[in-house]
Amino acid sequence: MNRRMEIDDITELDDSLDDIEPVSSPPELYEHFRVTVDKGQAPVRIDKYLFERIVNASRNRIQTAADNGYVMANGKPVKSSYKVKPLDVLTVMMDRPRYENDIIPEDIPLDIVYEDDDLMVVNKPAGLVVHPGCGNYHGTLVNAIAWHLRNVPTYDPNDPQVGLVHRIDKDTSGLLVIAKTPDAKTHLGMQFYNKTTKREYNALVWGIIDEDEGTIEGNIGRNPKDRMQMAVMSDPTQGKHAVTHYQVLERLGYVTLVKCVLETGRTHQIRVHMKHIGHVLFNDERYGGHEILKGTHFSKYKQFVNNCFAICPRQALHAKTLGFVHPRTGKELFFTSELPEDMTHLLEKWRAYISNREES
């Protein structure tokens, strides 16, 4: 019987076979997978047999588990070359309980900008969590990618050697690249590390920026006064080096539309750097942009801004462009995505406000 076992037949393999350690004195082991070989099964290598039956596991990871003593036949560790026999009881045992947050493919729509055998570029909508984490184990971009690539035998969504190369915040929209192969992830990861990728964001910020362009440089680390925030560190020995270049695209009264080019990619980098120079992102609740920070005290203006908050109920930040060198062909690729509807309507609202104010 040559098929992937259904959930009723097995317990799925844990997502951490990559980082297991060899068994010395046997620790307490936990069963992650069990199957009894059919009576009519012909001899076949155990790694091949398990690969055809375990959901979301690569043959290489199964071989690694066997090499380290975690794959067993009838209660005894066997190597990946072991030939299974009829009625063998095969188990995968681990030294920790099975995780409950394996990445499960979910049928979530994807806006795919580009795709080939090595990678894919997607345009993420605001509000979609990128990766499963505490409180968000389902309904993420990674779950959607797992569904889209569910029939690609070499793609394992639980394998850290493939998948997301970089991330953007839940309430930030825009472009992301996903690696389908370990080689692609390694090559793309090095481009991000060496700062050779091209990443441009559009952001609407509070206040009028006087200079047409500039560079913000400051180490970013966890804010000691609010652990939910990042901040520019006053001590230059703390935090991680971060550089953001910005250019004013449009001045709209009490707000400014800017283009931000990332030289580094730190957590909340644009949000933190713009706040550092006194220009918090519009409606960025975590950093105070959901308050009226600039403008008049008239009730009509307050109502206008509250309407703007309702139009774009998240930080006004969009990952607009993404460029990199293809990891296999060496060709330079460059992608652009239009501003999403909520930011487009927000800008139209501010343009109309400024136009009406100038006419009156």
Side-chain angles (χ1 to χ4, degrees), residues 42-66:
V44 63
R45 284 174 59 108
I46 194 169
D47 57 344
K48 182 176 187 296
Y49 184 88
L50 292 178
F51 170 69
E52 292 173 347
R53 285 157 177 79
I54 298 177
V55 177
N56 296 333
S58 68
R59 191 166 178 178
N60 181 64
R61 295 171 74 204
I62 294 170
Q63 290 170 346
T64 300

Side-chain angles (χ1 to χ4, degrees), residues 136-282:
N136 292 293
Y137 293 118
H138 301 284
T140 73
L141 177 65
V142 168
N143 296 111
I145 294 167
W147 176 271
H148 179 73
L149 300 178
R150 66 193 183 281
N151 295 322
V152 177
T154 57
Y155 186 83
D156 177 0
N158 293 292
D159 186 349
Q161 296 183 82
V162 295
L164 289 170
V165 182
H166 61 126
R167 304 183 187 188
I168 57 178
D169 299 329
K170 171 188 174 184
D171 289 326
T172 299
S173 54
L175 298 173
L176 286 164
V177 61
I178 295 94
K180 291 184 178 181
T181 69
D183 282 346
K185 187 163 186 180
T186 298
H187 282 80
L188 290 167
M190 287 303 297
Q191 292 182 55
F192 278 87
Y193 179 80
N194 293 324
K195 307 171 187 175
T196 58
T197 58
K198 297 178 176 64
R199 287 175 291 167
E200 297 180 0
Y201 290 69
N202 279 182
L204 188 69
V205 302
W206 278 107
I208 293 299
I209 302 176
D210 294 329
E211 303 82 8
D212 289 336
E213 57 186 34
T215 295
I216 310 166
E217 194 166 355
N219 288 15
I220 292 177
R222 188 69 60 182
N223 187 341
K225 298 179 180 178
D226 185 344
R227 303 303 291 175
M228 296 298 291
Q229 292 185 0
M230 307 300 287
V232 173
M233 300 287 97
S234 56
D235 183 347
T237 65
Q238 296 181 345
K240 294 182 179 180
H241 177 66
V243 180
T244 304
H245 307 283
Y246 67 86
Q247 178 184 345
V248 171
L249 298 178
E250 191 173 1
R251 294 182 173 89
L252 295 166
Y254 301 115
V255 295
T256 304
L257 179 65
V258 295
K259 176 177 74 174
C260 293
V261 179
L262 292 183
E263 189 173 308
T264 55
R266 308 306 181 196
T267 303
H268 297 179
Q269 180 171 319
I270 292 174
R271 301 164 68 184
V272 172
H273 269 176
M274 295 310 296
K275 179 178 181 178
H276 182 64
I277 64 170
H279 296 284
V280 180
L281 265 63
F282 188 83

